[in-house]
Amino acid sequence: MTATAAAATLTARALLLDMDGTIVNSDAVVERCWRRWAAAQGLDGDAVMEVVHGRQGYATMALLLPDRPMELNHEDNRRMLAEETADVDGVVPVPGAPAFLAALAGLPHALVTSADRALSRTRMEAAGLPLPELRITAESVSASKPDPEGFLKAAAELGFAPADCVVFEDSEAGIAAGRAAGMRVVGVGPRAAAHGPDVAVPDLTAVAVEAGPDGRIVLKIS
């Protein structure tokens, strides 16, 4: 059962953080770029926006246009990544993200994002957030979320079992990826609660991070 408003406490050895919608609010850019693409393909923009979050672009395109050659999806994805990297208008931190990441300094954590290296760096810098030392980006994996590869790779590189990790995610695809990896999931933001996270919070102001005496990370959800 998902806990929402009720207080909860989770402990972990490592935290694995999605970027867009979880610690960075980039919805304005995502909306601009994807609605342009939808119009060019003759697709309904609202329907496209229902499925774009969490996946790599080529995977979203394949879902929306199942008969389209994948090379065209990859070509459009490269173009869109360049457009998104050049557009930071409206990119801001999710409420609570600066304090949340500051509290994680020196504790095991990683960024696990469907963005590529350039886009992840640009958006984190635009939001004024520190880049985690370990970043699993689009270049790091062979499969997009909801495949669990990214989260499993991050856990392995940090040296922890999946069950010892807690994922922070906002999207259906990302929450499914965390679940498939055998990890607990904190859902962040308005999209998350409907997709079965262990705990759902409106934003990161509801999460306090403490370092436990045994090296564990204690998450207090209010």
Side-chain angles (χ1 to χ4, degrees):
M1 180 178 294
T2 300
T4 51
T9 300
L10 299 175
T11 61
R13 292 290 185 185
L15 304 187
L16 308 182
L17 316 174
D18 174 54
M19 183 180 70
D20 294 302
T22 301
I23 55 177
V24 172
N25 181 345
S26 58
D27 281 0
V29 180
V30 172
E31 184 117 355
R32 283 193 292 272
C33 290
W34 276 99
R35 284 190 182 276
R36 281 198 301 268
W37 181 86
Q41 303 303 320
L43 298 174
D44 178 71
D46 291 341
V48 169
M49 294 311 301
E50 287 293 318
V51 298
V52 299
H53 299 287
R55 295 178 178 83
Q56 291 189 45
Y58 74 85
T60 297
M61 294 169 192
L63 185 68
L64 291 164
L65 297 171
D67 297 326
R68 192 182 196 226
M70 279 303 295
E71 58 265 26
L72 294 181
N73 295 336
H74 284 287
E75 181 181 318
D76 277 4
N77 186 47
R78 286 190 292 271
R79 187 180 305 112
M80 186 172 291
L81 284 169
E83 290 177 4
E84 291 187 86
T85 303
D87 183 356
V88 295
D89 186 21
V91 174
V92 295
V94 165
F100 176 75
L101 284 169
L104 285 180
L107 299 175
H109 67 287
L111 192 70
V112 183
T113 175
S114 293
D116 64 5
R117 283 188 293 267
L119 181 57
S120 61
R121 178 177 292 278
T122 294
R123 284 197 175 150
M124 292 290 282
E125 289 177 350
L129 298 174
L131 275 168
E133 183 176 340
L134 177 60
R135 300 183 293 279
I136 304 298
T137 62
E139 298 93 338
S140 309
V141 297
S142 61
S144 170
K145 299 172 185 176
D147 191 282
E149 180 186 358
F151 288 125
L152 291 172
K153 187 168 186 177
E157 293 200 21
L158 289 170
F160 297 105
D164 288 329
C165 299
V166 169
V167 165
F168 281 72
E169 266 285 0
D170 73 300
S171 69
E172 181 179 10
I175 291 168
R179 287 285 199 198
M183 301 173 182
R184 291 158 292 158
V185 180
V186 175
V188 180
R191 289 185 288 268
H195 302 301
D198 294 276
V199 178
V201 296
D203 57 47
L204 293 170
T205 61
V207 183
V209 177
E210 298 177 6
D214 60 351
R216 291 182 180 273
I217 301 169
V218 180
L219 300 171
K220 295 189 174 179
I221 314 293
S222 59

